[in-house]
Amino acid sequence: MPKARARFVCQSCGHSQPRWEGRCPGCGEWNTFVETMVDTKRKSRGRTQPTHGQVPRLRDISPDGFTRIPIPIEEFNRVMGGGIIPGSVTLVAGDPGIGKSTLLLQISGLLAENSDPVLYVSGEESAQQIKMRAERLGIEGTNLYVLAETNLDSILEHLEQLKPRMAVIDSIQAVHLDGLTSSAGSISQVRECAATTLRLAKSIQVPVFIVGHVTKKGSIAGPRVLEHIVDTVLYLEGERFHSYRLLRGVKNRFGSTNEVGVFEMCEMGLREISNPSQVFLAGRETDAPGSAIAVTLEGTRPILVEIQALTSRTSFGLPRRTANGVDFNRLLLLIAVLSKRVGMGLSNQDVFANVVGGLRVNEPAADLALAIAIASSYRNRPVAPDLALVGEIGLSGELRAVGQIEKRLMEASKLGFGRCLLPRGVGQKRLPKVEGIQLIPVRSVAEALDVALVK
Ligand code: TYD
Ligand code: MG
């Protein structure tokens, strides 16, 4: 058994010493020491035997070998790439209170319904608190083992003994290794705890889910120290005061990262939403100015969202711009394009933009809908109710082509939109044909405005 001990390692030059110091004597940088578990056997590195003849050829390696454990929540399966890989470590990250514990308890409960044991370790809540939540979620938990513990050595001992079908550690910021002097939640603790867990998970082939809280800067325990250690990183996102939650794959060693699962937080925990567009468009007022429908793509799945804008005359000082769910700089850019290329007098107007349902839209393909929503509010003319919009806007007001247009059109058609405004690509030969939806290709925002706004 190799002996490990804690040392402080400079993140800049790699110098290591037993004590913390403000400035590294090796490279002179400040605040670079991070406590790390160092394997004392490592000194023999460099003298290891060469491994001639043992390295397999790519040709001889069999491609499969992953048997995934499917979860009866389709939205979760989709993000995981079809199921959980035994021995994999998945980080579920998100803001505090967003629903990470709820999601993982639900999954644990579902898996434990079969005869295999599942271990749920909580370093934040007592077993009674977990019981209360489980009752709310309707989890009986005959095979669900609950451990309220923060000492990682002890947790891993239990994990090794129980060898469950799956384990959850909630959260990585709450557990600690005894060998390190720094407190739980520090970079060194978080990193070492994750690495130790990963080693055990791989050796006993038990999939482990680790919960990680996102800190104020939007990273997990400092500079995203965990993301490169674990196999899969999922972010649970959503607005605190909206009930929709998006589970987004950010990294996945066993599948595509382009997937998004949509959930709603209800009384009985997270409920999956398999028809997000329908849900997001429910309650839309079709004749109100300032609302436009964008066909966005979340991962590989098209989702229709309503983008709203409101312009109102600035009463005092500089005009205000507020972006909710869209990128603030993108909003400024589109306002500038509308002012300069279409001649809209937005320089004395406050502009507020909002995506309905608390969703975040980062895709440039939603530019056109946002610009049209602003124009619609400014001119006080509603957007034609049967019109969906897709297109990126360039600085000269031109519309730029976006990817996977056919998929988007099919979704728009499915939801009953009869027409879609889209960019007329330069040199584009033919438009895709999708049943039930008329395509209106345009070259610029100005052209789009003529079509989109009701006279
Ligand atoms: P939680 O899973 O504790 O968040 P996290 O682990 O990410 O910090 O979720 C807490 C929130 O979820 C809390 O505000 C209450 C809400 N909630 C529901 O609305 N319904 C439920 O069934 C449960 C269990 C929680
Ligand atoms: Mg929690």
Short mmCIF file of all heavy atoms in Angstrom, two decimals, residues 97 100-102 120 124-125 133 170 211 213, ligand 2:
data_model
loop_
_atom_site.label_atom_id
_atom_site.label_comp_id
_atom_site.label_asym_id
_atom_site.label_seq_id
_atom_site.Cartn_x
_atom_site.Cartn_y
_atom_site.Cartn_z
N GLY A 97 -29.59 24.90 -3.89
CA GLY A 97 -31.06 24.98 -3.90
C GLY A 97 -31.71 24.75 -5.25
O GLY A 97 -32.92 24.87 -5.39
N LYS A 100 -30.26 19.55 -6.95
CA LYS A 100 -29.30 18.46 -7.19
C LYS A 100 -29.59 17.27 -6.29
O LYS A 100 -29.64 16.13 -6.74
CB LYS A 100 -27.86 18.96 -6.95
CG LYS A 100 -27.48 20.16 -7.77
CD LYS A 100 -26.07 20.60 -7.48
CE LYS A 100 -25.87 21.21 -6.11
NZ LYS A 100 -26.62 22.44 -5.86
N SER A 101 -29.79 17.55 -5.00
CA SER A 101 -30.05 16.46 -4.06
C SER A 101 -31.36 15.77 -4.42
O SER A 101 -31.46 14.54 -4.36
CB SER A 101 -30.14 16.99 -2.64
OG SER A 101 -29.00 17.73 -2.32
N THR A 102 -32.35 16.55 -4.81
CA THR A 102 -33.65 15.99 -5.17
C THR A 102 -33.50 15.04 -6.36
O THR A 102 -33.97 13.91 -6.32
CB THR A 102 -34.62 17.13 -5.54
OG1 THR A 102 -34.64 18.05 -4.45
CG2 THR A 102 -36.01 16.61 -5.78
N TYR A 120 -26.57 6.32 -0.53
CA TYR A 120 -26.68 7.78 -0.63
C TYR A 120 -25.97 8.38 0.58
O TYR A 120 -26.41 8.21 1.71
CB TYR A 120 -28.15 8.19 -0.65
CG TYR A 120 -28.36 9.65 -0.97
CD1 TYR A 120 -28.69 10.07 -2.25
CD2 TYR A 120 -28.20 10.62 0.01
CE1 TYR A 120 -28.85 11.40 -2.55
CE2 TYR A 120 -28.36 11.97 -0.28
CZ TYR A 120 -28.68 12.35 -1.56
OH TYR A 120 -28.84 13.67 -1.86
N GLU A 124 -24.26 16.93 4.19
CA GLU A 124 -24.90 18.21 4.48
C GLU A 124 -26.17 18.06 5.30
O GLU A 124 -26.53 18.95 6.06
CB GLU A 124 -25.26 18.91 3.16
CG GLU A 124 -24.06 19.20 2.32
CD GLU A 124 -24.39 19.97 1.06
OE1 GLU A 124 -25.56 20.02 0.70
OE2 GLU A 124 -23.44 20.51 0.48
N GLU A 125 -26.86 16.94 5.07
CA GLU A 125 -28.15 16.78 5.75
C GLU A 125 -28.10 15.53 6.61
O GLU A 125 -27.36 14.60 6.34
CB GLU A 125 -29.26 16.64 4.71
CG GLU A 125 -29.53 17.94 4.00
CD GLU A 125 -30.28 17.75 2.69
OE1 GLU A 125 -29.81 16.97 1.86
OE2 GLU A 125 -31.32 18.37 2.53
N ARG A 133 -37.39 14.12 2.91
CA ARG A 133 -37.43 14.41 1.48
C ARG A 133 -37.89 13.18 0.68
O ARG A 133 -38.70 13.29 -0.23
CB ARG A 133 -36.06 14.87 0.99
CG ARG A 133 -36.05 15.09 -0.50
CD ARG A 133 -34.75 15.61 -1.00
NE ARG A 133 -34.45 16.93 -0.48
CZ ARG A 133 -33.22 17.40 -0.35
NH1 ARG A 133 -32.20 16.66 -0.67
NH2 ARG A 133 -33.01 18.61 0.09
N ASP A 170 -23.02 13.58 -1.50
CA ASP A 170 -23.68 14.90 -1.53
C ASP A 170 -23.19 15.71 -0.33
O ASP A 170 -23.59 15.47 0.79
CB ASP A 170 -25.20 14.67 -1.45
CG ASP A 170 -26.00 15.94 -1.59
OD1 ASP A 170 -25.38 17.00 -1.77
OD2 ASP A 170 -27.23 15.88 -1.51
N VAL A 211 -21.98 15.48 -5.92
CA VAL A 211 -22.66 16.77 -6.03
C VAL A 211 -21.63 17.86 -5.80
O VAL A 211 -20.80 17.75 -4.90
CB VAL A 211 -23.79 16.87 -4.99
CG1 VAL A 211 -24.37 18.28 -4.95
CG2 VAL A 211 -24.86 15.86 -5.28
N HIS A 213 -21.34 22.16 -5.49
CA HIS A 213 -22.02 23.46 -5.54
C HIS A 213 -21.19 24.43 -6.35
O HIS A 213 -19.97 24.47 -6.23
CB HIS A 213 -22.20 24.02 -4.14
CG HIS A 213 -23.12 23.21 -3.30
ND1 HIS A 213 -24.46 23.08 -3.60
CD2 HIS A 213 -22.91 22.46 -2.21
CE1 HIS A 213 -25.01 22.30 -2.71
NE2 HIS A 213 -24.10 21.90 -1.85
MG MG B 2 -28.41 19.50 -1.61
#
